Structure formats: C-alpha cells, structure tokens
Amino acid sequence: RTILLTGCNSGIGFEAARIFARKGDTIILACRTKEKADEATRKILVETESAKLVPCECDLTSLQSVRNFVDSIATTTNQLDVVCYNAGIALNTDGDIERTAEGFEKTIGTNHLGHFYLHHLLQPKIVKNKTGRVVITASSVHDPESPGGKQGKKATLGDLEGFARDGPNFEMVDGQPYNGDKAYKDSKLCNVLFCRELQRRLGASDTTKNILVNCFSPGLITSTGFFRNQNPVFSSIFNVVATNVFKVAETPQFGGAALAYMTTVESRGEFWDSPPGTSYKSGEAAFGKEFNVSPVSKEGQEDAKAKQLWELSEKLVGI
C-alpha cells in the first residue's frame, strides 16, 4: 500500500511507521520539518533497510506549507491507499493563546483545520482508490463523561459561535475566552465530527461510497514528546503516576500498533477506543476485543453540528 502519515517522527506515528515499513508499504512521512522527517527515515532504515520512505515537510500550522507539501508529492504518487491524520499538539494549559500563520488558535488550527485543509487537497488522490481508507487520531477526552474528559474544562463546541462570529480570529470554537486545556479537548471533538461528516459525504456518492473513514483514541500516552509543551516537572510526575501507580497509561508501541490496526478495520465513520491501561493488560491481543468500536459523546453524535462544523471550516481555510 501507499500510506500517508502525519506526525510520524515520534510517538505513536513513528511506531506505526515502523510497522508499515516492516510490512513493505510505501510511506509518505509528513512531519512538521524536513529535518524531523529525515531523522525518522534514518531511524526506520536502521531496522528495515528495504523500507520505502518519502520524507516530507508538512507544517499543519501553515496552509501554505500544506499546499507546498501536496504539490511536492504530486509526482511521487497519483493514488493514496491509506491516509492517517495523526499529528497533534497539546499546548501548555497555563499559557497564553498562540496562533498559526493564518491567525487561527494554534490547537484547533493544527489538530483540526490543518488536517481538514490537507484532506481537501488530498481527496482526489484518495478517491482514485475506490476502497481507500482514512484514519483520524482522536481521543476519548472529546467526551465529557470519559475519565479524562471530565477533568477540568469539558469539551463542547456550543453553537460554533467562535467560528461563525470571529472568523480566523476565534479564541475558542464555542466563542468563549481561550482555555488551553479545553482547546485540546475541543479539537478532538472536531476530529470525531469531521470523521462522521466525511464518511457521510463519501457515502453519498457511488464513486466514493466504499472508502472507509474511522477515528480512534490511542489512550493516554505520557512517555512521548506529545506533552513537550507542558510544565516539564508536571509531565514527569504525571508520567510516573499514570504509568506506574494507577496504570491507566498506554505504551507508544501499543498506540502505534492501534493506529496501524485501524488501517485494516471494516467499520464506517466509527470511533474506536479501549479501557485505560489496556496495553499493560492485553497488549495487541486487545485489538478487535477490548480495543473496538466505542460510543462517542452525545455532542459527537450531532450530525447537524458535524455538517455546520464542516461548512464553517471550509470558510476559515478558504475552500
């Protein structure tokens, strides 16, 4: 297969890339910088000399970078079998608002709008494979009733007033003042709604109805660079407590294997998840069992909101 994977120089994206390489897939490594993509390539080639890798720069905080990336692979491949929208950031919850090149709040701008725009540009390559697959890395924290989602400010997009009223100058999707913790949770809710609406739109056409779109939660993974923007002392203590005391964290290897597994499932527009600590109890034996289709939040089931989010997102990125 030819697989495009964002956010693959570390964490679960890198672990998934290692798996794809061993299987003989051609992998387009879309990383924030070319240097990070090259470094990931070197590491994978050490263990899989025959790996077919295409390292590329794709900075999701810049729509121009996204356009440049898609242009750069124009001659590399005419068709994509699998696309994994995996990259994501979680900013310091105590920090001030940061913005992308276009002025979007950075968490939503990266985790949702950057991938949304990237998909818009990639869809012609995806639909050439009438049985193509799209996998989106979401999180259980999109659900205010989940263990992680009920901590602190809870995810909600409200009536999307921030997008509708403030345009690119939004602070939060629901129009409220900026909150870093909630922005991340909201971005994962956006991922879930994007998944459902994309599947609905693809399913409405005979030429794209067999393309499968799914999203998943890799679980709480504290031992990677994902928390690099958080207070380092807090992150270190949190890692020890979540992993060794409460045993609710997952390993990066489990998360990467879960991402790779998601490229093989037959569900449509679904969210996959597993109980906390599954990687330490069952490992990959959980795939298709403990790790399986799970209900999304009540707000994540609102199809009208998914459609509205799509339409407002189109306006924001200039589609």
Side-chain angles (χ1 to χ4, degrees):
R1 302 176 298 179
T2 297
I3 300 175
L4 189 151
L5 176 60
T6 69
C8 48
N9 59 284
S10 63
I12 71 169
F14 178 72
E15 296 299 331
R18 293 175 63 208
I19 294 171
F20 295 144
R22 291 195 295 269
K23 291 180 177 293
D25 296 322
T26 297
I27 315 157
I28 299 175
L29 303 167
C31 301
R32 183 166 55 86
T33 67
K34 182 62 160 53
E35 291 74 20
K36 290 182 180 295
D38 288 338
E39 179 61 21
T41 296
R42 285 191 290 270
K43 289 179 180 178
I44 293 171
L45 287 174
V46 167
E47 61 180 24
T48 307
E49 294 182 1
S50 61
K52 294 170 282 188
L53 308 171
V54 183
C56 298
E57 177 175 313
C58 181
D59 184 352
L60 293 165
T61 68
S62 165
L63 299 188
Q64 183 61 57
S65 177
V66 173
R67 288 191 292 271
N68 292 344
F69 162 66
V70 175
D71 289 343
S72 74
I73 65 170
T75 57
T76 301
T77 180
N78 193 42
Q79 175 178 303
L80 293 169
D81 302 303
V82 180
V83 174
C84 301
Y85 299 131
N86 169 71
I89 60 170
L91 299 178
N92 191 325
T93 55
D94 297 324
D96 295 329
I97 190 169
E98 297 181 35
R99 294 194 175 275
T100 69
E102 284 70 34
F104 308 140
E105 185 281 313
K106 197 170 186 178
T107 308
I108 294 292
T110 302
N111 299 357
H112 169 58
L113 292 171
H115 279 128
F116 181 85
Y117 186 62
L118 176 59
H119 179 82
H120 167 69
L121 299 179
L122 291 178
Q123 181 154 305
K125 292 180 179 292
I126 300 170
V127 299
K128 287 185 178 180
N129 181 342
K130 295 184 178 181
T131 57
R133 295 169 185 268
V134 177
V135 177
I136 303 160
T137 302
S139 172
S140 60
V141 300
H142 85 275
D143 186 352
E145 298 180 11
S146 71
K150 65 175 60 173
Q151 307 301 319
K153 290 276 190 178
K154 298 175 177 60
T156 178
L157 306 185
D159 60 3
L160 290 87
E161 184 178 359
F163 274 14
R165 181 192 66 202
D166 303 325
N169 300 316
F170 71 90
E171 292 194 12
M172 300 291 287
V173 181
D174 62 2
Q176 297 300 308
Y178 176 70
N179 178 282
D181 174 48
K182 184 176 181 296
Y184 177 74
K185 294 171 183 171
D186 286 353
S187 75
K188 298 294 101 180
L189 178 54
C190 288
N191 291 158
V192 169
L193 291 170
F194 169 58
C195 168
R196 292 167 66 90
E197 178 65 6
L198 176 58
Q199 185 69 88
R200 184 191 71 79
R201 288 171 179 255
L202 292 171
S205 169
D206 287 340
T207 59
T208 58
K209 65 182 181 181
N210 292 323
I211 296 175
L212 303 181
V213 185
N214 291 285
C215 59
F216 78 107
S217 173
L220 174 63
I221 301 177
T222 60
S223 58
T224 70
F226 182 72
F227 290 95
R228 61 187 177 275
N229 295 305
Q230 307 296 329
N231 181 293
V233 175
F234 165 80
S235 297
S236 179
I237 295 173
F238 184 57
N239 178 29
V240 172
V241 172
T243 303
N244 300 325
V245 179
F246 293 110
K247 300 186 184 301
V248 295
E250 310 294 357
T251 65
Q253 292 75 23
F254 175 83
L259 173 52
Y261 180 78
M262 288 300 299
T263 70
T264 69
V265 302
E266 296 297 326
S267 62
R268 294 175 176 272
E270 299 284 6
F271 173 68
W272 288 60
D273 196 7
S274 57
T278 295
S279 60
Y280 294 96
K281 299 170 186 173
S282 305
E284 293 184 27
F287 297 157
K289 297 175 184 176
E290 291 93 342
F291 181 78
N292 213 319
V293 174
S294 297
V296 297
S297 70
K298 294 176 182 177
E299 192 168 346
Q301 300 174 39
E302 296 180 19
D303 292 338
K305 183 168 291 187
K307 182 174 183 292
Q308 184 185 11
L309 175 66
W310 184 287
E311 293 169 351
L312 289 171
S313 297
E314 284 184 325
K315 290 182 180 178
L316 285 172
V317 300
I319 297 174

